[in-house]
């Protein structure tokens, strides 16, 4: 069983749509990261959170520690948001475990 | 600041050859790590370091060596390349905060390695 599960695996949206990507995990964690990987391959850190909610521009990340679940929301999606979004959790012992990623494609 | 610099961007090796992937960061980060990314799988940890002179194995260390002689540099060595090591490799660093290392991750741009 994967310790970090993301859904959906693939997501196609029309420009302007509200997007939600989910991440569920089964281990005790000290933090959760959301990362973005563009088609060129580079990986960028979007959020690191251990409770509650964070917002940066059109991106919002939430986490529910009790339910072991996090969501990444994108409001007013744009084709430049097309990328792979990766959830990673920092185990209580210190190791990072990565999800397999959600491939998002936003059509104009 | 350059952030995390990874070289080369692409490399093709023959089976049995050795090579070193370079990783350098200019942010004075204590924690550095190497991952490999394969299709259909999440990033997997190869080796990591929590400071100069200290390294440890991750999930998939076989066939790779690392060293950390300075805070800035964390090279990854392939001792005798095998086709199973064909992958995309990422170096990452972060500032450590006590023992939890909970600070944002900074990634290099990746190295696409093909072993024939």
């Amino acid at each position: 069983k994967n310790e970090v599960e993301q859904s959906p695996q693939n997501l196609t949206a029309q420009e302007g749509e509200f997007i939600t990507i989910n991440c569920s995990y089964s281990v005790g964690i000290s933090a959760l990261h959301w990362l973005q990987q563009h088609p060129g391959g580079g990986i960028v850190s979007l959020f690191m959170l251990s409770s509650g909610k964070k917002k940066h521009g059109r991106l919002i990340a939430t986490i529910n520690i009790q339910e072991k679940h996090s969501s990444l929301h994108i409001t007013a999606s744009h084709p430049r948001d097309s990328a792979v979004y990766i959830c990673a959790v920092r185990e209580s012992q210190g190791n990072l475990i990565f999800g397999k990623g959600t491939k998002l494609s936003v059509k104009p | 600041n350059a952030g995390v610099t990874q070289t080369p961007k692409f490399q093709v090796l023959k089976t049995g050859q050795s090579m070193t992937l370079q990783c350098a960061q200019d942010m004075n980060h204590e924690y550095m790590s190497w991952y490999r990314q394969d299709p259909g799988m999440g990033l997997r940890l190869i080796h990591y370091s929590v400071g100069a002179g200290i390294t440890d194995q991750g999930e998939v260390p076989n066939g790779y060596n690392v060293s950390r002689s300075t805070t800035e540099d964390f090279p990854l060595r392939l001792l005798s390349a095998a086709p199973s090591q064909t992958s995309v490799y990422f170096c990452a660093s972060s500032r450590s905060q006590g023992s939890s290392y909970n600070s944002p991750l900074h990634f290099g741009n990746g190295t696409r390695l093909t072993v024939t």
Side-chain angles (χ1 to χ4, degrees):
Chain A
K1 180 185 183 299
N2 292 330
E3 291 163 311
V4 179
E5 297 271 5
Q6 286 186 237
S7 63
Q9 284 187 315
N10 294 283
L11 180 56
T12 300
Q14 287 299 126
E15 183 173 356
E17 285 185 356
F18 180 84
I19 289 163
T20 296
I21 299 170
N22 296 298
C23 176
S24 296
Y25 54 92
S26 58
V27 296
I29 71 168
S30 57
L32 183 143
H33 297 261
W34 280 104
L35 311 168
Q36 181 191 55
Q37 185 172 26
H38 276 286
I43 300 174
V44 175
S45 178
L46 296 175
F47 295 103
M48 182 191 68
L49 63 168
S50 54
S51 65
K53 175 179 172 178
K54 287 190 175 180
K55 184 175 189 291
H56 181 70
R58 295 180 294 105
L59 273 59
I60 303 166
T62 64
I63 187 168
N64 185 318
I65 296 293
Q66 287 73 27
E67 295 187 3
K68 295 188 173 179
H69 181 269
S70 175
S71 293
L72 176 68
H73 305 286
I74 304 175
T75 61
S77 60
H78 190 275
R80 65 175 174 265
D81 296 325
S82 298
V84 175
Y85 292 84
I86 301 169
C87 170
V89 301
R90 177 78 71 182
E91 281 188 292
S92 302
Q93 300 95 307
N95 295 324
L96 265 178
I97 307 172
F98 293 81
K100 294 180 181 180
T102 294
K103 185 174 182 179
L104 171 65
S105 178
V106 181
K107 305 293 186 188
Chain B
N1 286 347
V4 179
T5 302
Q6 214 182 306
T7 57
K9 195 166 176 61
F10 300 96
Q11 183 71 50
V12 178
L13 292 177
K14 292 188 187 322
T15 297
Q17 286 184 317
S18 63
M19 78 157 295
T20 299
L21 279 63
Q22 301 291 345
C23 177
Q25 51 90 12
D26 61 0
M27 297 170 283
N28 204 31
H29 284 171
E30 296 93 337
Y31 185 87
M32 296 186 75
S33 51
W34 277 102
Y35 299 92
R36 59 179 289 172
Q37 186 178 42
D38 299 296
M41 305 185 76
L43 288 152
R44 291 184 292 167
L45 181 65
I46 304 171
H47 285 284
Y48 66 97
S49 168
V50 300
I54 306 168
T55 63
D56 208 345
Q57 297 181 347
E59 182 185 352
V60 288
N62 292 342
Y64 308 95
N65 269 358
V66 291
S67 59
R68 184 94 180 270
S69 56
T70 67
T71 300
E72 294 78 19
D73 299 298
F74 190 46
L76 177 73
R77 297 184 187 85
L78 279 70
L79 309 171
S80 177
S84 60
Q85 293 178 304
T86 293
S87 187
V88 181
Y89 292 84
F90 287 95
C91 177
S93 74
S94 63
R95 186 167 45 88
S96 67
Q97 293 177 338
S99 60
S100 64
Y101 311 110
N102 278 334
S103 59
L105 300 167
H106 298 260
F107 285 84
N109 287 332
T111 297
R112 187 173 294 274
L113 175 68
T114 302
V115 183
T116 61

